[in-house]
Amino acid sequence: MKKTNLSSASASASWLLLAMLWGVLLLLAAWRPLALPDEGRYGEIGRWMLVSGDWLTPRLNGIPFFHKPPLLHWLEAIAMSLFGVHAWAVRLVPALHAGLMLMALYLAARHIGGERLAQRAALMLGTSLSFLIGGQYINHDMLVACWIGVAIWSFAASFMQGEQPDVRLALIGFAACALGVLSKGMIGFALPGLVLLIWLIWTRQLRKIARLPWLRGLALFGVLALPWFVLVHQQFPEVLNYMFGTQQVSRFTGTTFNNTRAWWFYLACLLLLMFPWILFIRPTRFAALEARDKAWLALLWIWVVAIVVFFSIPASKIIGYVLPVMPALALLAAIGYGEWMKNKDHISRRLLPSLALLAVLTGVGATVVAGRFSLKQTSSDVAQTLACEASPQDTVYVLDGFPYDLPFYTGATKPMIILQDWEEDRRSAGDSWQRELFEGANFDASAGSILQEPGVLTAAAQSPGNWLVLPSAMPHANRPAGWTTVQEGVNWTLLRSASKSTEATQHKGLAGCKH
């Protein structure tokens, strides 16, 4: 990896490239409705945090939701307070983290191999599906991937400064680990630690660990990461056992959760998320490299292999889990492309931009397809009717399902009443939306009143100001009596109680109503 120094104009062009790639991401983020269940779930948790004013306890439909720490929800609430409640505002949170991941890769690659390599690596990451799709998807994955990458780059650069690690870079690494923990829990420090430990052993630098600024670093980590855990534990004593024991350790070791995949699943994910650039990654002849280059290349390969193997161990596998390795893959691809282009003057210099255009068009196509698929699941059609016809005091009942995106689109400030045979669900429900709700209700007895039995619909049908949402696929013969159908939507049907009061009609309209 011969380091090349180019002009300041070239550096300015690089920053312009980063801005353009991030701009494309922001455009794609405004192109489709919420995807279900993830985007409906996490978008609504952030919206509820904003409207309720409760910034301590993440809640889904008013019920505590402690699957993950709250950084995503905090930032969502801030974004919606600034830009309004809509999908683009919520997607700005993962998009900002994708932009930070891209910038960190550019800075690291420039430090390792110079401006030209950094431009190429940034272009490859910024046109990949991991950036263009993963960077706009509302969940915790891009957040933790970003902070894991920042932590690895920072600590590695700190160790590479000499026998004494660079204090400033190390402290950035500690801060990144703390934000990773607030993003998605223990993997925020466990994965950087795993990668760096293997790398330090491989490169015979393990002695440098003792020279890190541990006191200042752990103090910084504690100030950033621990206060929320302490406060929420005081209010809900069992929350840490649930969040770390059930939702992280048990999911890693268990075999009863959703998304069971074959061992090779993540290899296919890497090919898809980094296509076409991954085709340029090639084995490196370490013997011909200088010591510095050997160390950096070893880091990149260990980064990829260690994290892919780590997430391949559980039976449950989700594509977003491999986002943390994308910066390393992009840099390996950029290095491999440079090696491949040597002595190939006959190949057009337009190859790189042509492939980048192809990759961007693939991202656009994937966004369009995802949008059309989301329309087959959304409740946005009946949500608009409900938002304009209901009043804030009305009660919405949901039977035989859970429309994650309904309250987000209506702007409701009152939880929906979810009707199920909850006693049976507690005995037999697997890794499902029912379990999300009744396990959350275990933390808050008052929130448990949101989960009721279908028998309450008989009385509710006779009272004004009540609405019922049920799957459109439910046969009419199975629908509760006494309710008037308002709208047969694509996926959900909206009904209202038979009697309406004059007062209710005078004060109708929720925040999501668009006249």
Side-chain angles (χ1 to χ4, degrees):
M1 291 180 293
K2 184 178 180 181
K3 188 169 182 177
T4 57
N5 295 313
L6 302 180
S7 66
S8 59
S10 182
S12 298
S14 297
W15 288 107
L16 178 61
L17 173 65
L18 298 184
M20 291 174 60
L21 293 171
W22 193 59
V24 172
L25 174 60
L26 294 182
L27 288 175
L28 294 180
W31 206 336
R32 59 185 178 84
L34 293 172
L36 301 178
D38 283 359
E39 291 197 311
R41 176 195 300 117
Y42 296 121
E44 172 56 18
I45 293 173
R47 188 196 71 88
W48 189 266
M49 185 171 282
L50 175 64
V51 300
S52 69
D54 182 1
W55 293 71
L56 177 67
T57 307
R59 292 179 182 268
L60 177 63
N61 193 48
I63 298 174
F65 189 87
F66 290 126
H67 286 213
K68 303 292 187 298
L71 182 60
L72 172 67
H73 315 311
W74 289 341
L75 297 177
E76 286 175 331
I78 293 171
M80 284 184 279
S81 70
L82 294 174
F83 302 106
V85 179
H86 47 78
W88 184 87
V90 188
R91 291 192 181 116
L92 185 60
V93 177
L96 284 170
H97 284 80
L100 179 57
M101 174 189 281
L102 186 67
M103 183 177 69
L105 167 64
Y106 165 73
L107 293 174
R110 189 173 68 177
H111 173 75
I112 294 170
E115 191 68 42
R116 185 168 293 151
L117 178 65
Q119 285 182 356
R120 193 159 59 236
L123 180 68
M124 290 178 173
L125 178 62
T127 58
S128 68
L129 288 180
S130 64
F131 182 83
L132 296 177
I133 301 299
Q136 56 159 300
Y137 195 75
I138 307 167
N139 65 11
H140 302 263
D141 293 338
M142 181 53 74
L143 275 68
V144 74
C146 166
W147 295 120
I148 286 172
V150 172
I152 293 173
W153 290 129
S154 299
F155 277 120
S158 173
F159 287 124
M160 290 291 284
Q161 295 301 308
E163 286 301 311
Q164 186 64 39
D166 183 277
V167 172
R168 178 180 59 85
L169 290 171
L171 292 178
I172 293 174
F174 280 107
C177 287
L179 294 170
V181 169
L182 281 175
S183 297
K184 205 172 178 179
M186 292 187 292
I187 63 171
F189 68 83
L191 290 185
L194 174 65
V195 170
L196 291 163
L197 179 61
I198 296 173
W199 177 66
L200 290 172
I201 293 172
W202 184 273
T203 57
R204 300 180 181 180
Q205 300 183 80
L206 190 59
R207 64 191 180 281
K208 296 182 182 179
I209 287 184
R211 298 167 188 167
L212 286 173
W214 284 105
L215 291 180
R216 280 176 287 176
L218 292 176
L220 179 60
F221 179 93
V223 167
L224 292 176
L226 296 184
W228 179 80
F229 292 100
V230 172
L231 292 173
V232 78
H233 174 71
Q234 291 175 346
Q235 186 167 342
F236 304 100
E238 293 299 317
V239 70
L240 298 184
N241 180 59
Y242 177 76
M243 183 178 296
F244 294 117
T246 301
Q247 291 302 319
Q248 298 198 9
V249 175
S250 293
R251 280 188 176 270
F252 188 84
T253 59
T255 59
T256 60
F257 295 96
N258 292 335
N259 304 301
T260 300
R261 311 290 185 193
W263 65 268
W264 48 262
F265 174 73
Y266 286 126
L267 299 180
C269 291
L270 297 182
L271 180 61
L272 175 67
L273 292 174
M274 194 50 70
F275 183 83
W277 310 116
I278 196 169
L279 301 178
F280 293 102
I281 296 178
R282 49 194 283 173
T284 305
R285 298 178 180 177
F286 282 82
L289 298 176
E290 297 179 0
R292 176 182 178 276
D293 292 341
K294 286 182 181 178
W296 282 116
L297 276 172
L299 174 69
L300 299 178
W301 283 108
I302 290 169
W303 185 340
V304 173
V305 173
I307 292 180
V308 169
V309 169
F310 178 87
F311 281 122
S312 295
I313 294 173
S316 178
K317 298 177 177 65
I318 297 175
I319 189 170
Y321 288 1
V322 291
L323 287 177
V325 309
M326 294 303 150
L329 276 181
L331 187 48
L332 285 170
I335 294 168
Y337 183 89
E339 294 295 321
W340 181 76
M341 285 295 293
K342 287 181 178 179
N343 303 318
K344 289 185 174 63
D345 294 335
H346 61 285
I347 296 179
S348 173
R349 294 297 179 180
R350 295 178 182 176
L351 177 62
L352 188 65
S354 297
L355 290 175
L357 178 60
L358 173 64
V360 170
L361 292 176
T362 302
V364 172
T367 301
V368 171
V369 171
R372 291 177 179 175
F373 181 77
S374 296
L375 288 174
K376 297 178 181 179
Q377 301 176 307
T378 186
S379 67
S380 59
D381 48 1
V382 298
Q384 184 55 212
T385 301
L386 180 62
C388 293
E389 294 296 325
S391 69
Q393 296 77 29
D394 288 354
T395 300
V396 177
Y397 294 87
V398 179
L399 177 63
D400 199 22
F402 186 64
Y404 281 95
D405 57 344
L406 183 67
F408 185 92
Y409 286 130
T410 63
T413 56
K414 184 177 180 180
M416 303 179 293
I417 304 299
I418 312 301
L419 306 174
Q420 290 283 125
D421 183 351
W422 290 107
E423 183 177 351
E424 174 60 27
D425 283 342
R426 285 180 177 273
R427 287 196 300 266
S428 60
D431 188 17
S432 64
W433 64 266
Q434 293 98 323
R435 181 168 294 278
E436 286 183 2
L437 296 181
F438 68 67
E439 286 187 347
N442 292 340
F443 289 98
D444 187 343
S446 62
S449 63
I450 295 169
L451 309 181
Q452 298 185 22
E453 302 294 320
V456 304
L457 287 177
T458 302
Q462 306 304 315
S463 302
N466 291 328
W467 300 83
L468 174 62
V469 178
L470 47 77
S472 295
M474 180 182 290
H476 285 266
N478 296 345
R479 296 182 180 184
W483 295 83
T484 302
T485 300
V486 176
Q487 181 182 2
E488 290 272 1
V490 175
N491 304 295
W492 299 90
T493 294
L494 177 66
L495 307 93
R496 68 183 174 208
S497 53
S499 58
K500 293 176 61 181
S501 69
T502 304
E503 181 181 359
T505 62
Q506 292 176 346
H507 301 283
K508 63 185 179 183
L510 303 177
C513 180
K514 299 176 182 178
H515 293 287

